[in-house]
Amino acid sequence: MTSNDRPTPPAVLHLDEIDSTNAEAMRLSGSGERGPLWIIADRQTAGRGRSGRLWTTSDGNLAASYLFEPRCRPEYLHQIAILTGVAVHSAVRRAIGQPVPGLRLKWPNDLLIGSAKAGGILVETTSFGGSRSIAVIGIGLNIATAPDLDSRAITRLGAHSPGLNRDLMFQTLKTEIDNWLAIWRAGAGFHDIRTAWLERAGVPGERLTVNGQTGPIEGNYIGIDETGALLLRNSDGLVRRLTYGDVSLAT
């Protein structure tokens, strides 16, 4: 590989405070920014989770977005969320430096410790120039503090590793995102991504509820298929393939 063949190292834009790192990335992409660019903020006042949920970030926690051009076929863009889950899980495990009991992924975008949420992922894409796309990977991790949410159990990574801090987590995360994007190879390596995701997810048979556009769907988790869609078996034994929805663990 020559120096001209090497990918451009991502730049980093560090902000004291922003409404949303993802929103800022999308604004920059609208102004012609193509990345690769990381945006990290000390405080995020109007971050967005899945289904538009508000996700604020205080000092000591991680709010970061990665803007880049994936150069993949449009039908592969949704795989970036699965890839990112694997990268985030790997980064947390590396940064903490020891096993964290209960650390796992929940489809499509949550990092859990047991049944409590420790972080989330939001991937957004936009097209330009006809057939080309920009992807923004938004990652929020509770490290120093955990927000108080009535609707779900929340935890923080710092409770499991007192020495963990935002800067260490960010540096490790950048490395893991690069590693797993290289494995993904714009969709050609998704088989390896899927295998890694399944190793980091819940056990088959786990009871889940998926709140989709047509209402809740309950079933037993089977896995994800070769495209990254969630597979659930319902009480009649039928397997449902789901590509969208909020997933909660049955209680």
Side-chain angles (χ1 to χ4, degrees):
M1 177 182 287
T2 69
S3 59
N4 292 333
D5 295 325
R6 296 192 183 100
T8 304
V12 177
L13 174 61
H14 187 171
L15 304 170
D16 291 334
E17 184 172 296
I18 194 70
D19 55 348
S20 160
T21 57
N22 260 36
E24 180 65 8
M26 295 300 282
R27 288 190 289 263
L28 290 172
S29 73
S31 300
E33 176 64 63
R34 301 292 174 251
L37 172 68
W38 279 99
I39 301 170
I40 182 169
D42 296 335
R43 293 170 300 282
Q44 182 176 244
T45 60
R48 290 171 290 118
R50 196 167 175 85
S51 300
R53 291 191 181 94
L54 181 66
W55 186 269
T56 59
T57 304
S58 56
D59 286 312
N61 290 344
L62 177 70
S65 295
Y66 183 50
L67 184 158
F68 70 108
E69 187 178 347
R71 298 184 182 273
C72 68
R73 292 163 56 177
E75 59 266 33
Y76 294 160
L77 287 171
H78 73 280
Q79 296 175 357
I80 297 172
I82 302 294
L83 175 160
T84 305
V86 173
V88 169
H89 185 284
S90 299
V92 168
R93 197 160 54 184
R94 275 190 56 200
I96 290 179
Q98 61 185 14
V100 179
L103 181 68
R104 53 165 293 190
L105 298 172
K106 177 171 70 68
W107 188 92
N109 63 345
D110 284 345
L111 181 76
L112 305 183
I113 296 179
S115 60
K117 183 172 179 175
I121 296 159
L122 179 64
V123 176
E124 298 179 286
T125 61
T126 187
S127 60
F128 71 96
S131 61
R132 297 171 68 179
S133 298
I134 286 293
V136 175
I137 299 172
I139 300 165
L141 294 175
N142 304 328
I143 300 173
T145 60
D148 184 14
L149 298 178
D150 294 335
S151 59
R152 61 181 62 187
I154 304 292
T155 189
R156 62 184 183 90
L157 297 172
H160 306 271
S161 177
L164 185 66
N165 60 65
R166 194 276 307 273
D167 292 340
L168 171 61
M169 188 70 254
F170 180 53
Q171 295 303 321
T172 309
L173 178 64
K174 288 195 297 179
T175 298
E176 289 297 324
I177 289 287
D178 285 345
N179 289 344
W180 288 99
L181 280 171
I183 293 169
W184 180 57
R185 303 192 316 278
F190 185 68
H191 172 78
D192 293 330
I193 300 297
R194 175 179 178 267
T195 298
W197 192 94
L198 290 169
E199 290 171 351
R200 292 159 172 77
V203 296
E206 182 176 49
R207 192 75 176 166
L208 301 178
T209 299
V210 182
N211 293 304
Q213 295 175 334
T214 59
I217 300 169
E218 294 188 356
N220 294 100
Y221 164 76
I222 298 175
I224 59 174
D225 71 9
E226 66 279 359
T227 72
L230 178 67
L231 299 175
L232 284 187
R233 178 177 286 114
N234 67 17
S235 57
D236 295 325
L238 300 176
V239 175
R240 297 285 302 270
R241 178 181 179 273
L242 304 170
T243 59
Y244 179 84
D246 273 336
V247 176
S248 58
L249 307 180
T251 56

